[in-house]
Amino acid sequence: MALLGMRGLSVFISDVRNCQNKEQERLRIDKELGNIRTRFKNEKGLTPNEKKKYVWKMLYIYMLGYDVDFGHMEALSLISAPKYPEKQVGYIVTSCLLNESHEFLRMVINTVRNDIIGRNETFQCLALTMVGNIGGKEFAESLAPDVQRLLISSSCRPLVRKKAALCLLRLYRKNPDVVNIDGWSDRMSQLLDERDLGVLTSVMSLFVALVSNNNEAYWNCLPKCAKILERLARNQDIPQEYTYYGIPSPWLQVKTMKALQYFPTVEDPNTRRALFEVLQRILMGTDVVKNVNKNNASHAVLFEALALVMHLDAEKEMMSQCVALLGKFIAVREPNIRYLGLENMTRMLLITDVQDLIKRHQAQIVTSLKDPDISIRRRALDLLYGMCDVTNAKDIVEELLQYLSTADFVMREELALKAAILAEKFAPDLSWYVDVILQLIDKAGDFVSDDIWYRVVQFVTNNEDLQPYAAAKAREYLDKPALHETMVKVSAYILGEYSHLLARRPGCNPKEIFTIINEKLPTVSKPTVAILLSTYAKILMHTEPSDPELQEQIWAIFRKYESYIDVEIQQRAVEYFVLSRKGAALADVLAEMPKFPERQSALLKKAEDAEVDTAEQSAIKLRSQQQTSNALVVTDQQPVNGPLPINQLGLVRIPSQKMEASSHNQGLTKENGAVSKVDPEPAPSADFLGDLLGPLAIEGPPAATVSAEQNMISGLEATPNAADALALATVGDQSNSVQPIVNIAERFHALCLKDSGVLYEDPYMQIGIKSEWRAHHGHLVLFLGNKNTSPLLSVRAVILPPTHLKVELSLVPETIPPRAQVQCPLEVVNLRASRDIAVLDFSYKFGTTVVSVKLRLPAVLNKFLQPKSVSAEEFFPQWKSLSGPPLKLQEVVRVVKPMSLPEMTNLFTSLHLGVIPGLDTNSNNLVSCTGFYSESTRAMLCLIRVETDPSDRTQLRITIASGDPTLTFELKEFIKEHLINIPTPTPAPAPSPALAAAALQPQSPITRAGYTDPGVMLAGLL
Amino acid sequence: MAIRFILLVNKQGQTRLAQYYEYLTLEERRALEGEIVRKCLARTEQQCSFVEHRNYKIVYRRYASLFFLVGVDNDEVCPSVLLNELAILEFIHLVVETMDRHFRNVCELDIMFHLETAHFMLEEMVMNGCIVETSKTNILTPIQLMDKAS
């Protein structure tokens, strides 16, 4: 055995083992270290065998957790020994003791290189392994070409090449330039043909590293990976030593499927088919067997196959099969499989939309929350968190609350945070939210961070309806014998603000409220004392008529704290005492707290920042990303005093009707509407607006400039109303403005080509649209979502239809409750062909801010078209029968946006103009046919021919024929608009003040773009 | 996915073998080993073989008095490609079977007193956190050659 001749090492290990306690062990080790040090000092007297022995002792000592700060040189020097046993020890111990940045390593680069390029295979392996484990940048620079050569050399044996592959992987990570990407995709592809499974296993690791960095460069390797998987899965030509319990190398199978997951998709149909066949076999053919190892190995392959299917199955054909399998797994006895079932379900939620399928297993997942194993409980919690939505939030959050009382201490904080986030995000009503948070504080006060109770206070303050309820609840909790301090804080705060709303209920008169809160005073900490003092002051203020006895009690407390050591408390006590003697002044100063500005939930922020394990983190991140698309969730607020929303977003804003009614002509109105009046002098924004609206201001009330400005903001709101609103508003609110946070023009254009999406969004609300078109009927649904914690008021939506459309909008509720979404169906009937556009005039009030916008509705001409495919026999007789104007019109269109024929075909297809290939013998021409539907024309066939000039793509000739002259003309103009002015997305809204200020300058190009947008002009004309 | 460390610890919590594939200072190792060992050794046979700790997932298996613990983490470049716990779990068993073939009925003492042999085996099986070789014959060939030579 190897240890023969190293008796000293055995003796030492055995000595250490026999030590009775840590102290003895330390003494023995110190003695040995001293011994080794002395022996190394006199290196000349050491035989190679002795040196080897001491180096192993060092490694042993290091492994036990003792510092070994000498002898590295001796270990390193063994690398240069001529004989294998010493060299081996040198390499292995060096890679255990030193790290890549150790300066000594530099000294052996040459020796290592000589071993790598030398003829001795065993030396090559040792050197490659050490470099593969601890090689740094310098190694990468000097050794990479040699290592590459070994990897691809045909004369090298597999045992060297497999190490070369992983060595190269290390060098590549340290310095990616060592692998020349261009040439490597072909090399890699050849390497993947390798028959030796040891080499293939290493090569696959190298391949994964390269692909994860740049999958595009390695497309050519995709079929090879599929082949390897096929070979393994079908057990073709697999040597016995690479089968593990009858399964062809499960590790290589897993690795290969991992490699495939780094490609976004598999396009080649043959490869795809072959791959899915294999995957299907794995999914269906994996049975539970008695042998644990075989079972684990086959399930390792199965879980990887599931992951790959989830990644690749864009059509979701196999998704329900996957979920069914996972559903089976989470209910089995074997804890490992249960754990992995839950983990994979969570992961599935992250990458595909299978929420509904997974919800079917909710009961089982909830059961797992009570599993005896904390690892499984964690996975269950994560999954429940991930699968929660409005439909199941109540159930899930209540389960979490129930679990909270029995949960492990290590999990409580996370649990509390998750329950709070879900309650906030998916609350069906706000009183439920208040219930949940109060229960949370009650059950796990220690684990409820301040953010959670701040948030509930914020909700209550912003929602008047909620205040009596919250106050009553807070009062109930105060009756409980042992109350968490956080509960004292939150109930004292809420009762201070709103207990007067409860005054008539039993046990809720000011004195009773005060008494029950004051019972807690002796036991609470300083920050809570401060809150209680404020509460007392507020109770005093709300006591009508004043109660001298209560007053005296509270004053006594204030006086007591006047000399308190903590300044904050002292200050409050002094101030409240003085104030409360001033009678009415108290009420002014201590009025109700103002509403909080909307802001991102601190909880979500916290969850994002929190250092939780990676899987959880990704789930939380995903949640917060979804947040932006979820109309019910609070997002960051735009700066309150942000710049005025000017037309850079293509948002149609027309000053009030009053404006039109005023002596100014329509032309000016239009210009104002688009804010495109060219003002030669760049003036400060307020003045500019004042000037612009000057004539109006004369008619208005005295606060002319301000109200004019407000008028500008509020759009349709008539001036006197705006002034009224101002009287109530605080100064800071006057310049409030609301900017859309999406590019409205872009949204409109996108919705012209598709049937559902977001039409408009600002910090407070979001309008989505979903539409269905059948012949000349359109059925649209507007989704009005309130993103706030307080209601949107005075909601008003009016459709300004052009004459060719009959539009009926169902009743829009005046108020949209906090975080709710209302759906308003909208019926459209097309009477005849026209390019005019219906406009949605929409306004609402948020606090004192009135927001009013005009949005073009995507009920445009092409929505009433249906592409038709006709044969030449049908087409030409029609084409000929419709001869000459006004049924057939021809026009040469210039200044066309240059595009190739396929591009034009795409454009036509997206406009529902069916292009019929091969109908026109000239390949530069394009023929298309579509059916138009309206009440007056019913279905009418339209034939279109476009002749292009390959030498000049900026012009073309278009001929359009249909049985209705208006239709022919309108369709021609409609197509022309799209050919000439392809709506390009305007730059995304940039809320930076500088840019917005630039937009205020009338000559800014962005404003001009808005002006030339025909839709804006059109809407402006309405 | 990469193996970050392999630890062999007996049920008294004494380390019998430690191989790291990422550099940690001695203090970090000591702390990490202490925490992990405490966590894993407290678990029962009925619980699953996976424990989450810091950024690692610990996959572990117990053989008589000895615990084999493998620390794995997810790919930093592409976190959606998760590690495969069962593959690691069976890799542990492969290590044990390989040791068993060499030592014949391997026990804690074999590993303890033949630390270098255990290191040679791991060196043949794992490199820089990646699995290099899974054929027991190939893994043991160099070790047997050396035994014959000495």
Side-chain angles (χ1 to χ4, degrees), chain A residues 225-236 274-275 277-278:
Chain A
C225 291
K227 280 240 166 59
I228 294 170
L229 190 62
E230 231 179 315
R231 176 185 164 199
L232 290 166
R234 294 180 192 275
N235 203 348
Q236 289 163 341
L275 195 57
E277 241 176 69
V278 172

Side-chain angles (χ1 to χ4, degrees), chain A residues 764-810:
Chain A
Y764 308 126
M765 90 164 305
Q766 186 193 52
I767 304 179
I769 207 162
K770 205 171 163 179
S771 53
E772 280 170 54
W773 306 91
R774 194 162 301 143
H776 60 285
H777 287 282
H779 175 73
L780 288 82
V781 182
L782 297 177
F783 295 85
L784 311 176
N786 178 358
K787 308 202 292 183
N788 303 295
T789 50
S790 28
L792 297 180
L793 307 168
S794 315
V795 179
R796 215 179 53 114
V798 179
I799 304 285
L800 312 174
T803 51
H804 74 285
L805 292 179
K806 209 159 79 189
V807 182
E808 241 174 81
L809 176 65
S810 68

Side-chain angles (χ1 to χ4, degrees), chain A residues 69-115:
Chain A
D69 54 0
F70 66 95
H72 296 159
M73 206 54 180
E74 280 73 15
L76 214 54
S77 69
L78 283 170
I79 289 178
S80 323
K83 280 198 186 142
Y84 184 76
E86 283 96 56
K87 208 182 237 322
Q88 184 191 35
V89 175
Y91 273 120
I92 291 183
V93 175
T94 301
S95 53
C96 288
L97 290 180
L98 304 189
N99 69 63
E100 64 169 87
S101 51
H102 204 290
E103 51 187 324
F104 284 2
L105 276 182
R106 196 175 301 152
M107 297 189 290
V108 290
I109 289 188
N110 262 332
T111 318
V112 173
R113 177 155 192 265
N114 286 335
D115 283 340

Side-chain angles (χ1 to χ4, degrees), chain A residues 532-558:
Chain A
L532 293 193
L533 292 184
S534 302
T535 302
Y536 297 161
K538 295 224 168 190
I539 291 177
L540 213 49
M541 173 193 80
H542 283 302
T543 312
E544 279 301 332
S546 64
D547 174 347
E549 196 188 329
L550 177 64
Q551 207 169 41
E552 212 28 70
Q553 270 179 312
I554 291 177
W555 281 349
I557 294 168
F558 287 159

Side-chain angles (χ1 to χ4, degrees), chain A residues 3 56 65 88 133 162 242 244-245 251 258 262 293 296 300 304 336 339 343 347 373 375 379, chain B residues 23 30 43 48-50 52 57 61 75 80 82 84-85 87 90 97 113 116 120 128 133 146:
Chain A
L3 269 183
W56 274 119
Q88 184 191 35
N133 281 329
K162 67 186 182 193
Y242 284 101
Y244 181 80
Y245 289 89
W251 301 282
K258 281 217 189 302
Y262 285 95
N293 300 305
N296 283 341
E304 206 57 53
N336 285 343
Y339 174 94
E343 185 182 49
R347 168 202 158 93
D373 185 347
S375 296
R379 289 292 120 240
Chain B
Y23 180 71
R30 261 194 296 221
R43 291 170 64 84
C48 71
S49 315
F50 320 121
E52 288 148 36
K57 187 159 284 183
R61 228 168 154 160
D75 189 336
S80 71
L82 291 185
N84 190 313
E85 293 90 342
E90 280 321 290
E97 283 192 351
F113 283 102
E116 64 325 340
F120 298 155
N128 197 22
E133 185 58 83
M146 209 172 47

